[in-house]
Amino acid sequence: MPDLQEIVHEIADEMARRDDRGDVATYIPELAHVDPARFGLAVVAADGTLACGGDCDLPFSIQSISKVFTLTLALGLAGDSLWRRVGREPSGNAFNSIVQLELEKGVPRNPFINAGALAVTDVILSGHPPREALGEILRFIRFAAQDDSVFIDESVARSEKATGFRNAALANFMKSFGVLRNPVDFVLGTYFHHCAIAMTCEQLARAGRFLAHSGRNPDTGCSIVSAERARRINALMLTCGHYDGSGEFAYRVGLPGKSGVGGGILAVAPGQASIAVWSPGLDESGNSHLGRIALERLARRMKWSIFGQ
Ligand code: GLN
């Protein structure tokens, strides 16, 4: 059995030395200040062992990784009827693309592109004020991570609200088709805030454990979702979790994963481990450049690809 902690250190050392880091997202001004030299990696193995490298205890903006948790919550609230509001196919387009939405009459392709995540947020909001919906999302993530110190970075939320014209366009467009039921401002406000949740790699890796272990946290024995639901969320992460870079991620890493423009990726090795990596520089699809390379190294050395060794 290869030594997980040793491998994690070797990968963190290699990533610290590399100078191909990609570009930090600047369209959310607050994210532009993040140091591109940061790198963190945390792996929680099936037996609960934690392996950490680099800046794995610094909080970063999880951004679209929050969409895994909002999807889980919305499925809990709406069950399979959620799929009347959002599809399950890879988009092959940028995460904030608007073109497809018109052709498909306001029904987003999948829950991980921005339009799809806005529809999911709308489901969580139904009947509740934004503050309550947001409280529910934060409580769920804290519960999954078993850590009450997870917080919302208000400056990131404000920064995105001030510049989120594209998301506002997507939301208004969906509202015109009747796909959103709550006021557009409520949906956007809740969405910007859940994207602005800050977590460390360690917290995120812990929060993803239920996806690696058939819906339950193996430490507490607590069941968060059914095994079938966990399997399906993983399938969506594999096919849609990296937008138009999802094929490349599956090809190179071979694990379900969800990225965010803050440079984080949550990846799941079913039955083996939950993994979080953070490197703020992005590739042209808006996914962490070194994060993906680090996961490729880790999956190869641990023989964790779901497609075989
Ligand atoms: N909050 C970001 C946005 O809406 C999330 C995008 C992402 O992480 N890919 O643009």
Side-chain angles (χ1 to χ4, degrees):
M1 185 69 179
D3 185 89
L4 179 59
Q5 183 60 70
E6 202 175 299
I7 290 173
V8 165
H9 274 149
E10 282 173 24
I11 293 171
D13 286 349
E14 184 201 334
M15 297 305 138
R17 286 194 306 272
R18 288 180 74 129
D19 49 16
D20 59 324
R21 308 196 82 83
D23 299 311
V24 172
T26 52
Y27 77 101
I28 301 173
E30 200 60 27
L31 295 183
H33 305 144
V34 179
D35 179 1
R38 294 288 181 200
F39 176 87
L41 175 60
V43 185
V44 186
D47 64 0
T49 312
L50 171 73
C52 268
D55 302 307
C56 63
D57 51 5
L58 271 190
F60 64 91
S61 191
I62 66 167
Q63 292 294 318
S64 286
I65 303 171
S66 61
K67 296 169 183 174
V68 173
F69 302 103
T70 53
L71 172 66
T72 306
L73 262 184
L75 282 169
L77 293 168
D80 281 344
S81 72
L82 178 74
W83 303 121
R84 289 204 287 270
R85 313 268 295 273
V86 59
R88 298 194 292 263
E89 293 297 340
S91 71
N93 281 314
F95 63 85
N96 55 5
S97 167
I98 200 162
V99 282
Q100 210 161 34
L101 206 51
E102 176 160 28
L103 296 173
E104 297 177 351
K105 301 202 169 27
V107 179
R109 268 283 169 110
N110 68 64
F112 293 149
I113 51 173
N114 287 12
L118 288 162
V120 167
T121 302
D122 185 65
V123 168
I124 297 174
L125 260 170
S126 293
H128 303 287
R131 186 181 293 274
E132 264 179 42
L134 194 60
E136 191 169 348
I137 295 167
L138 189 59
R139 267 195 306 282
F140 175 58
I141 293 181
R142 286 176 170 171
F143 172 68
Q146 294 283 293
D147 191 332
D148 280 345
S149 69
V150 174
F151 67 100
I152 296 174
D153 186 332
E154 286 293 339
S155 58
V156 172
R158 266 197 308 276
S159 179
E160 188 166 358
K161 185 165 186 238
T163 55
F165 305 112
R166 234 180 221 253
N167 285 320
L170 292 167
N172 279 292
F173 200 64
M174 286 192 285
K175 184 77 178 169
S176 77
F177 280 104
V179 173
L180 296 186
R181 297 181 186 160
N182 296 276
V184 165
D185 279 0
F186 284 18
V187 178
L188 285 171
T190 309
Y191 171 83
F192 291 145
H193 279 81
H194 74 61
C195 286
I197 289 172
M199 293 173 83
T200 67
C201 287
E202 181 182 338
Q203 288 170 330
L204 194 55
R206 291 195 188 284
R209 291 189 82 200
F210 73 99
L211 294 170
H213 304 289
S214 308
R216 44 181 35 231
N217 179 327
D219 280 350
T220 61
C222 231
S223 175
I224 294 185
V225 294
S226 67
E228 180 180 59
R229 185 154 287 161
R231 173 166 58 76
R232 289 178 159 166
I233 294 168
N234 286 338
L236 288 161
M237 286 170 73
L238 183 81
T239 52
C240 311
H242 282 71
Y243 317 109
D244 46 342
S246 298
E248 186 70 5
F249 188 81
Y251 179 84
R252 292 194 176 276
V253 180
L255 297 174
K258 181 74 206 84
S259 70
V261 290
I265 303 175
L266 171 64
V268 173
Q272 306 285 353
S274 172
I275 308 153
V277 63
W278 172 49
S279 171
L282 308 178
D283 63 19
E284 62 289 346
S285 303
N287 302 311
S288 175
H289 173 67
L290 288 187
R292 197 260 291 145
I293 294 173
L295 288 171
E296 187 176 351
R297 299 272 189 282
L298 181 70
R300 178 178 297 153
R301 295 196 55 188
M302 297 303 295
K303 303 191 188 333
W304 278 344
S305 166
I306 62 170
F307 299 109
Q309 302 181 1

